[in-house]
Amino acid sequence: MSINLIEDKENQTPDYYCTWQTQLYISNNGGPEKQRENMTASNLLGDSGAQGWVNFYEKARKDLILVMDDSWDVPLTDYEKFYGSLVLDKDKFPDFYVENNPEKSLKGLVKRVKHAGWKGLGGWVCAQESPEYPADSAEDYWKERLKWSQNAGFCYWKVDWGNKAKILEFRKMLTEFQKKYAPDVIIEHAMLPDSIEFADVFRIYDVPAIMSIPMTMQKTADCLTHTNGGMINCEDEAYTAAALGCVMGIMRQPMIGCLPNGEPDLSFPALHRDLKTKMAEVTRAVRWHRMAPAFGVTKNETKISNIQLTDYWDIGSQAEEIEKWWGYKDSDRIEKTAPAAISRHMPLPKIKPDKNGLIPYIVSSKNPNGIISIAALGRTLGREYILPKCEIEIDGGDSRMFGIFGEYEKLIINTEFKDVRIFIQDIAANVAVEISSRVDFLDNKMVIDGKIMHDFGTMCNGTGDTSEPGVVLAIKNMKD
């Protein structure tokens, strides 16, 4: 009888795919204005060229919310005065627009997106009121829109920039109204770390792909050492989110290679990690959240390594490697420093450097349900993305299930169990394999060779997919 270690149940974590970088792709990196013009029904639902975003993530979308980004609710012209409307635009979404009925308009689009297999639909929200839709007060304005969203099933608000983006009381008001009028809507805040205290989700904000890992490590560490609060969204670093108990806001999309006009896609430069060829990572990460959901920040529960790692990238050609708005030019060095390891609800791992003296970034956590997760993340040095394979040791205690992401020389798990059976499975797969005879037990230590985890953890990579490994490891009694 076959065993599937990943349960077939809904992912309770509000992970999502966000369309912003896909808007950049279809607009040939034409700048924010062109990106906004391309947030349309035809691009979302069409079947020509780079359209059909609703068809992305076939194996993961039942575990993902689709979040329409900047300007789904503004017209193609005179759009500035419509920011914050949350009214589906009649020219961009003609088949779903219902005159004088924003709630019904949204409901129709939600139904269409969910019919395609997504967990739900949400959208970017500009932090200001639209003067085109006057209300008696700002409070009435936002109450009305939350009620629309609740009734339509529009389940996620990505509250971003706007005139009130950095007003803490405004953000707090939105969350207070959401709890009262739209309990099924999740509100994500950003920009103001003090909003972590009341946010459902707090987003760490933008990072460039080339420096995404160290910048995400540092930003996430800063958020996790805050006071008690909501979940942290570490954006497109899927394995970081999976292993650290965080939310992911996926930006990568599967249209591999250059932009439609032949220019490099600077959102995901191919000469670095080439994230558009790592789609199986997203499948693994969201499936793992079924077993080990994201959890909120708890004071003093995070441990940050005192060891600091510095990554750097020497730019050859800015036009081929990083978006211009980051401010770098040819021959510049991008350099970022971050803690070597972050852990939540468990001790920091012990890391033995590889033969070149390098170590990866490591994130680990013990979920409130007892499941342990760990990820080894790559380094950027010079003009190269490197995956140091090291001996890593963690405290497994009484945990019987582990999510393990990335490359290792070997993983040592201190455990209280003996005389047990060990099963392993690609998190993207549905069948586990017993590997008890290939695991070494030394005293109270369980030692798993890195090659075993690599081989099983990449089994579901499709043709051309370069995703790094991700496995679930389970300890079962001999009679199981």
Side-chain angles (χ1 to χ4, degrees), residues 213 217 237 239-240 360-363 375-379 385-388:
I213 290 175
M217 286 288 290
E237 288 301 332
Y239 281 179
T240 301
Y361 294 98
I362 299 285
V363 293
L377 309 169
R379 304 286 306 280
Y385 176 64
I386 299 169
L387 295 165

Side-chain angles (χ1 to χ4, degrees), residues 160-436:
D160 202 347
W161 58 264
N163 295 338
K164 298 184 176 181
K166 295 186 178 181
I167 300 175
L168 188 66
E169 289 305 312
F170 167 76
R171 289 185 176 275
K172 187 178 291 186
M173 177 195 74
L174 288 184
T175 293
E176 289 173 353
F177 288 167
Q178 171 256 328
K179 302 299 182 191
K180 186 173 182 179
Y181 301 106
D184 298 320
V185 175
I186 295 161
I187 291 188
E188 174 190 280
H189 292 295
M191 299 185 184
L192 297 176
D194 283 346
S195 64
I196 293 173
E197 296 180 21
F198 55 80
D200 293 324
V201 180
F202 181 83
R203 182 166 63 98
I204 66 170
Y205 228 76
D206 301 345
V207 296
I210 283 177
M211 281 290 130
S212 180
I213 290 175
M215 290 178 70
T216 298
M217 286 288 290
Q218 185 61 64
K219 288 187 172 191
T220 304
D222 292 342
C223 291
L224 290 174
T225 51
H226 208 273
T227 186
N228 297 350
M231 296 175 284
I232 304 303
N233 175 4
C234 53
E235 300 214 289
D236 196 75
E237 288 301 332
Y239 281 179
T240 301
L244 203 52
C246 295
V247 176
M248 64 196 84
I250 297 300
M251 296 274 196
R252 70 188 79 173
Q253 43 83 7
M255 291 179 283
I256 295 171
C258 293
L259 302 173
N261 66 0
E263 295 295 321
D265 185 351
L266 302 183
S267 299
F268 309 106
L271 77 172
H272 188 241
R273 289 163 72 193
D274 203 2
L275 284 169
K276 293 194 293 185
T277 68
K278 298 183 184 294
M279 305 305 285
E281 291 182 357
V282 178
T283 302
R284 294 185 183 109
V286 295
R287 281 170 62 92
W288 184 242
H289 270 163
R290 298 182 194 174
M291 309 304 297
F295 52 98
V297 179
T298 305
K299 191 175 182 180
N300 299 324
E301 54 88 21
T302 300
K303 296 178 177 61
I304 310 293
S305 172
N306 291 325
I307 299 171
Q308 295 283 304
L309 301 179
T310 298
D311 282 18
Y312 60 95
W313 178 268
D314 295 320
I315 297 176
S317 170
Q318 173 273 315
E320 297 180 3
E321 298 170 26
I322 188 168
E323 293 162 298
K324 188 175 183 179
W325 68 271
W326 284 102
Y328 295 102
K329 57 185 183 298
D330 294 359
S331 302
D332 279 355
R333 169 170 285 191
I334 310 172
E335 187 172 288
K336 298 295 177 181
T337 299
I342 306 171
S343 69
R344 303 180 70 188
H345 293 303
M346 64 182 291
L348 287 165
K350 297 177 182 178
I351 311 169
K352 184 178 179 180
D354 70 5
K355 62 184 179 181
N356 297 314
L358 296 175
I359 63 173
Y361 294 98
I362 299 285
V363 293
S364 58
S365 66
K366 186 171 185 177
N367 198 273
N369 66 18
I371 292 175
I372 285 178
S373 310
I374 182 169
L377 309 169
R379 304 286 306 280
T380 296
L381 301 170
R383 289 181 57 79
E384 191 174 3
Y385 176 64
I386 299 169
L387 295 165
K389 296 180 182 180
C390 297
E391 179 182 298
I392 311 293
E393 183 173 347
I394 62 172
D395 182 8
D398 60 356
S399 295
R400 287 182 172 267
M401 181 170 282
F402 302 83
I404 305 164
F405 302 88
E407 299 281 6
Y408 302 79
E409 177 65 29
K410 62 180 67 173
L411 180 64
I412 301 171
I413 302 175
N414 297 319
T415 179
E416 63 182 44
F417 299 108
K418 296 181 179 179
D419 301 320
V420 292
R421 302 171 69 191
I422 308 300
F423 290 81
I424 197 169
Q425 176 180 325
D426 186 330
I427 297 173
N430 293 314
V431 179
V433 175
E434 184 173 1
I435 58 165
S436 302

Side-chain angles (χ1 to χ4, degrees), residues 130-181:
S130 166
E132 293 297 302
Y133 297 93
D136 290 340
S137 67
E139 288 82 0
D140 288 343
Y141 183 94
W142 293 107
K143 285 177 188 176
E144 181 179 45
R145 280 150 181 78
L146 282 163
K147 290 176 182 178
W148 294 346
S149 298
Q150 174 71 19
N151 295 334
F154 191 71
C155 64
Y156 203 98
W157 282 22
K158 179 187 176 183
V159 184
D160 202 347
W161 58 264
N163 295 338
K164 298 184 176 181
K166 295 186 178 181
I167 300 175
L168 188 66
E169 289 305 312
F170 167 76
R171 289 185 176 275
K172 187 178 291 186
M173 177 195 74
L174 288 184
T175 293
E176 289 173 353
F177 288 167
Q178 171 256 328
K179 302 299 182 191
K180 186 173 182 179
Y181 301 106

